[in-house]
Amino acid sequence: IHAAGIAGGRIISHKTAEMVDRVWRPKVTGSRTLVDQLKDDSLDFVLFCSSLNARYGGIGQIDYCAANAYQDALAAALDDPEGTRYISVNWEAWLKVGMAARHHAQESVADEMDGLGELGISPEEGADIFNRVLAFPQTNVMVSTIDWTYRVSMFDDLTAKYHQALAGPMESDETHDRPDLMSPYV
């Protein structure tokens, strides 16, 4: 079970290569190293703990999104139903444990999502889900505590609000005539 990871946290224009590498190393390099070390072993399964961010992104999470999407693709490429099963689980945030608990992510996301309540799964629910995932024949499984379509629309709304805040308020509604230019208007 590969559950290592470091969340991103800045928009892409403010990230350095070192920042991206720090986020990618546990997921991308760690997954590849694990696969290389286990290639000669006969295992029932290898499970990558990916994130729902691999499916919907997230503001400031481009590197984390890509790293988790890598795990999803790696599991799909290596899965062998007749040999070692490779599974990638796009987990919801866990309550009280894991990365989200350390960063208090579920509180800030819940606040932003207009009172959806506490998002996340408890450790007990996670153990139950883990057993279900192992019995499920799919290579990639998404675990979400709310309807997926609703979740995506909420994050689309948050992204739009974020971009609007970056752009700032319009100074005026003035328009100007197009100047005389050599190129035609397209």
Side-chain angles (χ1 to χ4, degrees):
I1 299 169
H2 183 303
I6 296 174
R10 289 187 173 186
I11 60 173
I12 195 167
S13 60
H14 293 107
K15 290 184 189 266
T16 65
E18 291 79 22
M19 291 172 169
V20 172
D21 185 58
R22 182 174 171 264
V23 173
W24 282 5
R25 198 174 306 123
K27 294 272 185 191
V28 176
T29 306
S31 297
R32 194 72 244 176
T33 300
L34 182 67
V35 166
D36 289 345
Q37 293 298 311
L38 298 174
K39 68 181 177 216
D40 296 327
D41 294 341
S42 176
L43 301 172
D44 292 332
F45 68 90
V46 173
L47 186 136
F48 299 122
C49 291
S50 181
S51 168
L52 287 175
N53 285 76
R55 298 297 176 154
Y56 65 75
I59 298 168
Q61 299 293 318
I62 189 71
D63 43 6
Y64 186 66
C65 172
N68 284 286
Y70 175 84
Q71 286 187 315
D72 297 347
L74 187 61
L78 297 176
D79 187 42
D80 179 4
E82 303 300 319
T84 300
R85 289 201 51 220
Y86 280 82
I87 307 161
S88 185
V89 180
N90 300 121
W91 288 103
E92 170 78 75
W94 287 51
L95 299 172
K96 302 175 187 166
V97 296
M99 292 170 56
R102 286 193 300 274
H103 298 289
H104 307 290
Q106 54 270 5
E107 289 85 8
S108 64
V109 170
D111 291 344
E112 284 292 324
M113 296 177 86
D114 298 323
L116 280 177
E118 195 172 56
L119 296 177
I121 57 175
S122 70
E124 297 78 21
E125 290 170 318
D128 180 54
I129 293 166
F130 181 83
N131 287 324
R132 291 174 188 232
V133 165
L134 290 180
F136 196 65
Q138 296 299 111
T139 300
N140 183 246
V141 178
M142 293 186 341
V143 177
S144 178
T145 57
I146 62 175
D147 176 74
W148 183 249
T149 305
Y150 183 66
R151 175 185 290 277
V152 171
S153 72
M154 291 302 297
F155 279 96
D156 286 348
D157 290 347
L158 284 175
T159 301
K161 287 178 187 176
Y162 176 78
H163 287 294
Q164 186 177 25
L166 280 181
M170 290 289 240
E171 294 296 321
S172 81
D173 291 331
E174 284 185 47
T175 61
H176 302 279
D177 292 333
R178 185 174 188 271
D180 289 332
L181 301 173
M182 298 286 290
S183 59
Y185 176 75
V186 177

